[in-house]
Structures are given as structure tokens and as C-alpha cells.
Amino acid sequence: MSHAFVYQGLPSRVIFGRGTSAQLATEVDRLGLQRLLILSTPEQTALAERVRGLLGARAAGIFSEATMHTPVDVTERALEVVRSLDADGVVAVGGGSTTGLGKAIALRTDLPQVVLPTTYAGSEMTPILGETQDGRKTTQRGPKIQPEVVVYDVDLTLTLPPTISALSALNAIAHAVEALYAPDGNPIVSLMAEEGVRAIFDALPHVLHEPGNPVARSELLYGAWLCACCLGASSMGLHHKLCHTLGGLFDLPHAQTHAIVLPYALAFNAPTVPQAIERLNRATRSDDALAALMKLEHECSIPLALRDIGMPHEGVARAVEEAMANPYKNPQPVDAEGLRALLESAWAGTGV
Ligand code: NAD
């Protein structure tokens, strides 16, 4: 086999394990920070208060208005708080919504970010920020966006309800799947992707039945971390672009859209990416990764059709039009007819 690739490591420090939040103050001291603004969603204010306790005098305040898709008006309110407290860094504790707010602040101020993730969405390992303004979502990449330190504390994930855990973990699998056939993929990313999918497939069924099991939660978070590294390091294809289009057009929930579209997008690309399929077969311990994925999704008791999460049927034509107007790299060339067939199946949930 011949190889030709570019590998760019992303600079971030990762602390992983159970009870690692206890190391937060030490990590903040390593960065020389003294006045941190803690970020959370309104639902996770109690957790933000716990983080304030862990930081002691290093905590300058809490801003707990983080929300999905990083609206710019929320960021502007948070920036006012940053200025009024003279904060010298942010600590984001939560899922992708909270991490997104930290990234949006860092983009505008270059303040260092420490993230304590509590879901499997993976934003903490990427230099990517999606923001919304006036109903439009734009995405950008850049070094200021990448968080400096990520403290993965398995104990913070124990409270994530099983269904949200499943959706979030399937979102993580989607990152790894597309990294396996990315135009800028490389051997390191492929190793991480295969191992990430393996860990999630092994752990998720256990987490569904026993959400408080720390061993299964640890394996799941480990897999999600690997998948997140894949997302940060490679360009995504049809699946991610389509989910972005659908989310924007019909205001569909992020993780649910990913979970529903993934098998159809993978089936679309499968004939052109045999090496990715070979890795996914190994990762899913099966000879048919697509069937294994559908089986796992059924076990998760989640919606399996776009029509069940609010997409109107006439939306299929609109989504095809929009997706065709914004071309992107994908292993299998995307034509309107193929895309329409994919979306019709995903809309009705016919399976692959
Ligand atoms: P989220 O952050 O919106 O969290 C979902 C809900 O679960 C929130 O109400 C949150 O408070 C709650 N929650 C989170 N962790 C919990 C826990 N351990 N216990 C109990 N409740 C908990 O959802 P998400 O899926 O993590 O993130 C979605 C957002 O992240 C989207 O805006 C998406 O676009 C973005 N995202 C960005 C990237 C990137 O690289 N830029 C990657 C993935 C996702």
C-alpha cells in the first residue's frame, strides 16, 4: 500500500479519567489564570456553582445563558460580562452549546478556554465554531477557537439521560465515519476513528441499560473523545453538510438529525469507500457495519425518520435544491437524483 498525506496535530491538553475535575484549579494555575468566567446552560447552573467551588478565588463569575447553535446576541451579552468582570479566561462546563459559547468568546478576545465536557458531541476538540445570527448559521475554523485545556471527568457524564447519551454518541460516530473517507484524512485519524467507533459500539448498549455505570461511561467518553479528534482534524462530507442544511432549513434538533441521516449517508458513500467500510466492520465487530449501525440505532429507542422530528415532506425538494447549490467534496459524487432518493428514505425512515 502506498501512502501520501498531511498530518497536522492540534495543540490541546487533555486530562481524562474519573474525578478529574478536582484537577481543574491546578490546570488553571498552569495557564496562569486568576479571574475565570464560568459558562453553562440554564439547566446546568448547579454544576457551574460546583465548578465555582472547585476554582475558589480564581472564579470571577458565572454566565449561564449558553444555548444551542451559539446565537451571536448571547455571545454579546457574555462579552459584556467578560469585560465587566475583567475575566482572563473562560471555563465551559457542559455540552456543545456551552463549549460553543466559550469558543465564540475566545474568537473575539483570544482568552484561553478550559472545557469540562458533559456530553459526547465533541466540540471541545475542534477549532470549529458554528454561530447563528438572524436565522443563519455560519461555520468557521481557526486557531483561536480551539480550547487550550480539556478536562474529561467521567463522573460529569453520569447524569446525561440515556436517550440524550445515545443521540450524542451517534453524533460522535458520524464524525469518525466521515473522517475515514475525508479528502484530508491520514493514518492517525483513521486509527482514532476506528478505535472511537469500536469503543462507542462496545459501551453504548451498557450505558443505555445502566446509565450510572462508570466503566461503560468511561469507555463511551473515551470513544467520543477519539471521534471528536477526528472531527477537528479532517473535512467532513455529505453527512455533515446535509445535517447542517436540514438543521438550518427546518430548525431540526442537531443530534437527532445526525442519528437519522447517518446510515443513509453511509449507504450512499459505501460503494466508493471500501477501506472505510473494512475499518467500520472491524470496529463494529461485524461483516456489515451498516446493518450493525441500524441495529444499534434501533436499540437506542430514538426517532428513526426525519418526518418524526419535524421535517415536512415538501422539505425534501428544498433540501435537495439547497444542498446542490453548495457543492462540497464527497467520495461519491452527489447528484440531485441520488440526494432526493437518500432524503426520501431518511424522511420516511425506510432503513438501508
Ligand atoms: P447541548 O450542549 O445543547 O446539551 C443538551 C442538553 O443537555 C442541555 O440542556 C444541557 O444542559 C444538558 N446536559 C448536558 N450535559 C448534561 C449532563 N451530563 N447531565 C444532564 N444534562 C446535561 O448538546 P450537545 O449535543 O452537546 O451540543 C450541541 C451543540 O454543539 C450544537 O449547537 C452543535 O452545533 C454544537 N457542536 C459543535 C461542534 C463543533 O466542533 N463546533 C461539534 C459538535 C456539536
Side-chain angles (χ1 to χ4, degrees), residues 206-225:
H206 296 289
V207 166
L208 289 172
H209 295 117
E210 205 188 336
N213 180 330
V215 178
R217 285 286 189 180
S218 180
E219 186 74 354
L220 191 53
L221 190 58
Y222 161 72
W225 166 61

Side-chain angles (χ1 to χ4, degrees), residues 40-45 47 66-70 93-100 103 117-130 137 139-140 145 155-161 164 167-168 171 175 217 228 231-232 240 244 254-255 258:
S40 77
T41 59
E43 297 82 22
Q44 289 182 293
T45 311
L47 185 58
T67 184
M68 191 83 94
H69 304 311
T70 330
V93 57
S97 298
T98 308
T99 306
K103 288 174 160 184
T118 64
T119 72
Y120 306 113
S123 175
E124 65 280 355
M125 294 309 299
T126 82
I128 308 167
L129 170 64
K137 186 162 182 177
T139 302
Q140 58 185 306
I145 296 171
D155 293 348
L156 300 185
T157 65
L158 298 177
T159 51
L160 193 65
I164 304 181
L167 290 167
S168 189
N171 189 184
H175 307 331
R217 285 286 189 180
L231 174 68
H240 280 74
H244 186 89
H254 175 85
H258 273 270

Side-chain angles (χ1 to χ4, degrees), residues 173 175-177 179-180 187-199 223 226-227 230 279-280 283:
I173 289 176
H175 307 331
V177 165
L180 282 172
I188 297 277
V189 163
S190 292
L191 285 170
M192 291 193 294
E194 182 177 333
E195 172 68 352
V197 174
R198 196 243 359 115
L226 290 169
C227 294
C230 297
R279 281 195 181 270
L280 289 171

Side-chain angles (χ1 to χ4, degrees), residues 31-339:
L31 293 171
L33 304 176
Q34 295 173 333
R35 295 189 57 75
L36 289 132
L37 178 63
I38 301 158
L39 307 171
S40 77
T41 59
E43 297 82 22
Q44 289 182 293
T45 311
L47 185 58
E49 285 295 347
R50 264 170 55 201
V51 169
R52 191 208 291 265
L54 292 168
L55 286 171
R58 303 167 192 83
I62 295 177
F63 180 85
S64 53
E65 294 174 41
T67 184
M68 191 83 94
H69 304 311
T70 330
V72 170
D73 58 322
V74 174
T75 301
E76 280 165 1
R77 284 205 298 280
L79 283 168
E80 277 169 30
V81 179
V82 166
R83 281 189 285 269
S84 70
L85 295 175
D86 196 19
D88 60 2
V90 293
V91 174
V93 57
S97 298
T98 308
T99 306
L101 176 60
K103 288 174 160 184
I105 294 171
L107 176 68
R108 290 158 175 86
T109 59
D110 209 11
L111 289 183
Q113 310 166 61
V114 179
V115 184
L116 292 105
T118 64
T119 72
Y120 306 113
S123 175
E124 65 280 355
M125 294 309 299
T126 82
I128 308 167
L129 170 64
E131 296 185 288
T132 44
Q133 190 164 28
D134 305 325
R136 279 193 59 234
K137 186 162 182 177
T138 50
T139 302
Q140 58 185 306
R141 277 181 183 256
K144 283 185 190 172
I145 296 171
Q146 177 95 30
E148 277 71 8
V149 176
V150 180
V151 179
Y152 283 107
D153 185 342
V154 175
D155 293 348
L156 300 185
T157 65
L158 298 177
T159 51
L160 193 65
T163 306
I164 304 181
S165 299
L167 290 167
S168 189
L170 289 163
N171 189 184
I173 289 176
H175 307 331
V177 165
E178 293 230 294
L180 282 172
Y181 53 64
D184 49 2
N186 62 61
I188 297 277
V189 163
S190 292
L191 285 170
M192 291 193 294
E194 182 177 333
E195 172 68 352
V197 174
R198 196 243 359 115
I200 293 177
F201 261 75
D202 282 354
L204 185 53
H206 296 289
V207 166
L208 289 172
H209 295 117
E210 205 188 336
N213 180 330
V215 178
R217 285 286 189 180
S218 180
E219 186 74 354
L220 191 53
L221 190 58
Y222 161 72
W225 166 61
L226 290 169
C227 294
C229 294
C230 297
L231 174 68
S234 39
S235 307
M236 298 286 108
L238 174 68
H239 170 78
H240 280 74
K241 307 292 177 188
L242 204 49
C243 290
H244 186 89
T245 303
L246 294 171
L249 280 178
F250 312 112
D251 197 23
L252 303 183
H254 175 85
Q256 281 91 328
T257 311
H258 273 270
I260 294 167
V261 172
L262 181 60
Y264 299 94
L266 180 57
F268 184 88
N269 280 327
T272 32
V273 293
Q275 287 179 349
I277 296 295
E278 199 182 308
R279 281 195 181 270
L280 289 171
N281 285 348
R282 275 203 301 269
T284 58
R285 303 180 199 278
S286 79
D287 55 9
D288 186 347
L290 256 174
L293 180 61
M294 283 306 294
K295 182 169 171 282
L296 180 65
E297 294 210 346
H298 275 107
E299 278 172 44
C300 292
S301 308
I302 53 172
L304 293 174
L306 290 171
R307 66 175 168 195
D308 294 339
I309 60 165
M311 179 171 161
H313 192 215
E314 56 276 19
V316 169
R318 274 185 69 199
V320 171
E321 202 177 303
E322 173 109 357
M324 293 306 294
N326 301 296
Y328 40 83
K329 283 197 174 162
N330 187 63
Q332 175 79 12
V334 180
D335 62 329
E337 213 31 63
L339 200 52

